[in-house]
Amino acid sequence: MAVCARLCGVGPSRGCRRRQQRRGPAETTAADSEPDTDPEEERIEAGAAALYGSGGGRSAAPSPPPRCSLLELPPELLVEIFASLPGTDLPSLAQVCTKFRRILHTDTIWRRRCREEYGVCENLRKLEITGVSFRDVYAKLLHRYRHILGLWQPDIGPYGGLLNVVVDGLFIIGWMYLPPHDPHVDDPMRFKPLFRIHLMERKSATVECMYGHRGPHNGHIQIVKKDEFSTKCNQTDHHRMSGGRQEEFRTWLREEWGRTLEDIFHEHMQELILMKFIYTSQYDNCLTYRRIYLPPSHPDDLIRPGLFKGTYGSHGLEIVMLSFHGKCARATKITGDPNIPAGQQTVEIDLMHRIQLPDVENLRNFNELSRIVLEVREQVRQEQQQQEDRPEDGEGRGRQSPREPQCGPAQPSTGLAAEKGRAPGDGGAVAVEEQPAQCGQGQPFVLPVGVSSRNEDYPRTCSMCFYGTGLIAGHGFTSPERTPGIFILFDKDRFGFIWLELKSFSLYSRVQATFRNADAPSPQAFEEMLKNIQSLTS
């Protein structure tokens, strides 16, 4: 009743309509046909007017100020007030009194809520054609399916994927994001619709599967829980082609790789491509998706974290997520392959151990670069051993930038001292304090002779380098191990990694896209998400 008193000025009277929430459907329907004014409301307002208007003959004492009630405000002003409230609060407000309930049928209110909460900017003309109101759009489409908006990773075995569910006009569409064709890592992402939801009539929303080449057809979405949902196609015959599996494979190959099988001369690559087609085709009927978040950022991060496209040899281009965790950074696979599946940490960068590259002539010598990196690995190993042998004494320090040593539970507590006895121009490990990060000043970079790269159009200058490890494994994620390598930062949108054992170079380029509803509610939620997607493929 206290809520009623604040909202309508009636207070705990018999005319309060807050008890209407306990009515049944029949009583609610009858209430909708009641007159705009309530007898009890009129009685109270008339009594207040008589008390404060006439003065009752009391000339000595000043009259108290008139009491202002929301019920006395004109309807157009109440519309403005109600339209500024969250849409989730409006159903409760409708239970206060008949007048509020009638005003909340004004479509202007729900049009504003659709625009401010979900970015819907459609005009009324389109809705009039379909016979659907903004109130229907909000209640039966946007609010009902709000839990599936954002970024998701489909459960397609080791391959994973990236799904972005967005509000697009009067539709909710699930877009599958695909890397550009190999090896053009700097090209924009490709995307195709997997499903869409819209209101065909006022009764309920319609779910349609968009997979295949025969247009939208009947589908179904089940929200398993807040961070998981599944889609199902009810007409899989729309996925089939008249030319059979051979035509389906050739079409898929053109879409996935931008070429034909005859253009791919590498036999091992042909096997990987055919294997992926056979495996992923099994999931055209039903798919489960798990929510993923974009990594939180911090002003001291080396570069802005986020999603990147990277080259992975015969596996083509894959999507990774770069995130920072104190003294280290990690690249987690969002899409994967039979060797290193989606969800695994493909690269880990030790931000406390910078590496000074030698001059260009010495950099061309793979043995020289290998010697530098292996020396750093040995020093890291020794520091970790010392850390295990002495009690922890670095806890409690605040977060610092990569230029400043900081303590973390999984990393050494000190940076490397500059190696002595080296001639100018020799490479090696340098202390983070003595070699500040200078992203604006580049140094020449070239790949060592013998290191393979899918993309020869890599940057020829870099900002800084760090020691890191890369995850390698056999087919089926057998015998996984972390091997030494070097992380090369080129600019704010590109970095690379040299895998020493594989003599291979991966180039990564930022995904230039804006994602809504993708921020983690807290750093802890992001860390938990990383653990969950990794555990699914471990």
Side-chain angles (χ1 to χ4, degrees):
M1 288 303 179
V3 176
C4 296
R6 289 195 300 270
L7 288 174
C8 63
V10 174
S13 67
R14 292 176 298 167
C16 178
R17 289 297 183 270
R18 186 165 180 80
R19 66 189 61 157
Q20 290 175 357
Q21 61 186 341
R22 296 189 293 271
R23 290 178 173 175
E27 293 172 295
T28 303
T29 304
D32 286 337
S33 63
E34 292 179 11
D36 292 346
T37 58
D38 188 280
E40 187 68 15
E41 296 170 8
E42 292 180 342
R43 183 185 66 79
I44 293 176
E45 292 177 359
L51 176 63
Y52 299 124
S54 64
R58 302 175 184 177
S59 58
S63 299
R67 183 177 59 180
C68 182
S69 168
L70 283 177
L71 291 171
E72 301 172 0
L73 297 177
E76 58 269 19
L77 186 55
L78 289 177
V79 168
E80 287 297 317
I81 294 174
F82 294 168
S84 64
L85 299 176
T88 52
D89 293 344
L90 297 183
S92 299
L93 188 60
Q95 297 175 356
V96 173
C97 62
T98 304
K99 183 176 182 178
F100 285 5
R101 184 169 59 254
R102 179 180 60 83
I103 291 176
L104 285 170
H105 279 81
T106 305
D107 218 33
T108 306
I109 297 175
W110 299 99
R111 180 182 183 183
R112 180 173 170 183
R113 297 325 313 150
C114 290
R115 182 181 71 250
E116 294 186 358
E117 295 181 24
Y118 298 100
V120 176
C121 300
E122 299 300 312
N123 55 42
L124 290 173
R125 180 64 179 168
K126 291 184 178 180
L127 290 181
E128 291 174 356
I129 296 175
T130 59
V132 178
S133 67
F134 273 106
R135 187 168 180 258
D136 295 327
V137 172
Y138 187 95
K140 299 176 182 179
L141 177 67
L142 304 179
H143 182 70
R144 179 181 177 184
Y145 291 99
R146 68 192 184 280
H147 290 310
I148 70 171
L149 299 177
L151 290 178
W152 302 83
Q153 185 182 54
D155 184 9
I156 314 180
Y159 299 103
L162 179 65
L163 180 80
N164 186 26
V165 183
V166 300
V167 176
D168 188 351
L170 299 177
F171 292 83
I172 291 179
I173 303 180
W175 295 98
M176 180 69 83
Y177 275 64
L178 305 170
H181 293 139
D182 180 56
H184 308 292
V185 69
D186 287 326
D187 286 358
M189 295 284 287
R190 300 173 296 123
F191 42 87
K192 63 179 181 179
L194 290 191
F195 63 84
R196 70 180 185 182
I197 315 170
H198 61 116
L199 284 178
M200 295 294 293
E201 53 187 15
R202 301 187 63 178
K203 293 182 180 180
S204 61
T206 300
V207 178
E208 293 178 329
C209 176
M210 304 290 288
Y211 190 88
H213 299 269
R214 296 170 60 181
H217 45 283
N218 188 24
H220 175 72
I221 287 181
Q222 180 181 4
I223 301 177
V224 181
K225 51 186 177 181
K226 182 180 178 182
D227 293 329
E228 183 176 326
F229 77 97
S230 62
T231 58
K232 182 179 180 180
C233 177
N234 297 328
Q235 294 177 285
T236 55
D237 57 299
H238 281 64
H239 304 175
R240 307 282 78 88
M241 289 185 170
S242 57
R245 295 291 280 175
Q246 186 174 4
E247 182 184 358
E248 294 172 13
F249 172 67
R250 291 185 177 277
T251 303
W252 174 87
L253 186 60
R254 286 194 300 268
E255 294 177 350
E256 187 82 7
W257 291 84
R259 62 183 80 174
T260 64
L261 196 62
E262 290 77 11
D263 298 331
I264 304 173
F265 301 104
H266 198 289
E267 184 177 348
H268 178 59
M269 193 173 185
Q270 291 181 349
E271 293 176 355
L272 292 174
I273 291 174
L274 184 59
M275 183 188 309
K276 184 175 182 179
F277 170 75
I278 296 174
Y279 193 98
T280 56
S281 297
Q282 305 174 37
Y283 291 85
D284 65 348
N285 176 35
C286 185
L287 265 178
T288 299
Y289 303 86
R290 295 177 178 84
R291 183 179 294 280
I292 59 176
Y293 298 115
L294 292 178
S297 60
H298 190 275
D300 288 333
D301 290 338
L302 195 63
I303 58 173
R304 179 167 56 90
L307 297 173
F308 290 78
K309 305 153 287 183
T311 56
Y312 279 88
S314 299
H315 298 293
L317 298 187
E318 299 183 11
I319 305 173
V320 303
M321 178 184 290
L322 179 68
S323 56
F324 291 89
H325 310 263
K327 295 188 305 181
C328 70
R330 300 188 181 105
T332 303
K333 280 195 171 188
I334 303 301
T335 62
D337 52 67
N339 291 76
I340 307 297
Q344 295 298 317
Q345 293 175 5
T346 175
V347 172
E348 183 166 326
I349 307 109
D350 186 347
L351 299 176
M352 298 306 297
H353 293 87
R354 275 190 65 181
I355 291 179
Q356 179 65 43
L357 293 179
D359 55 49
V360 174
E361 290 304 319
N362 287 322
L363 183 57
R364 294 181 186 275
N365 187 339
F366 177 80
N367 292 332
E368 175 64 15
L369 180 64
S370 179
R371 177 190 63 78
I372 295 172
V373 175
L374 293 180
E375 284 182 0
V376 179
R377 182 182 68 167
E378 178 60 24
Q379 208 153 2
V380 170
R381 189 193 64 79
Q382 293 177 6
E383 291 177 2
Q384 290 176 340
Q385 185 63 42
Q386 294 173 2
Q387 189 79 2
E388 295 173 357
D389 293 342
R390 66 171 181 260
E392 294 289 339
D393 57 357
E395 296 182 359
R397 295 189 188 180
R399 177 170 181 156
Q400 301 170 339
S401 71
R403 312 176 192 182
E404 304 169 37
Q406 64 169 342
C407 284
Q411 298 294 327
S413 59
T414 59
L416 283 176
E419 293 190 18
K420 300 180 180 179
R422 293 191 179 276
D426 285 355
V430 297
V432 179
E433 300 90 343
E434 299 182 16
Q435 186 70 24
Q438 298 177 355
C439 294
Q441 298 180 2
Q443 71 175 97
F445 175 80
V446 65
L447 284 177
V449 176
V451 174
S452 62
S453 173
R454 295 288 298 176
N455 194 332
E456 294 297 332
D457 189 23
Y458 60 86
R460 292 309 194 266
T461 59
C462 66
S463 297
M464 61 185 75
C465 302
F466 293 89
Y467 172 76
T469 58
L471 184 63
I472 64 174
H475 186 86
F477 198 42
T478 56
S479 306
E481 61 173 321
R482 306 208 70 89
T483 60
I486 180 170
F487 169 86
I488 306 106
L489 179 63
F490 294 113
D491 51 47
K492 62 183 180 64
D493 292 324
R494 290 180 297 180
F495 65 87
F497 190 82
I498 297 179
W499 312 71
L500 285 188
E501 185 166 330
L502 302 178
K503 286 190 175 182
S504 176
F505 171 74
S506 292
L507 177 64
Y508 301 84
S509 179
R510 185 181 299 277
V511 174
Q512 302 288 356
T514 301
F515 299 102
R516 296 188 61 182
N517 304 295
D519 294 330
S522 66
Q524 294 75 19
F526 176 76
E527 295 288 347
E528 188 65 26
M529 180 272 297
L530 285 183
K531 293 179 181 177
N532 289 340
I533 64 175
Q534 184 177 12
S535 64
L536 295 175
T537 56
S538 296

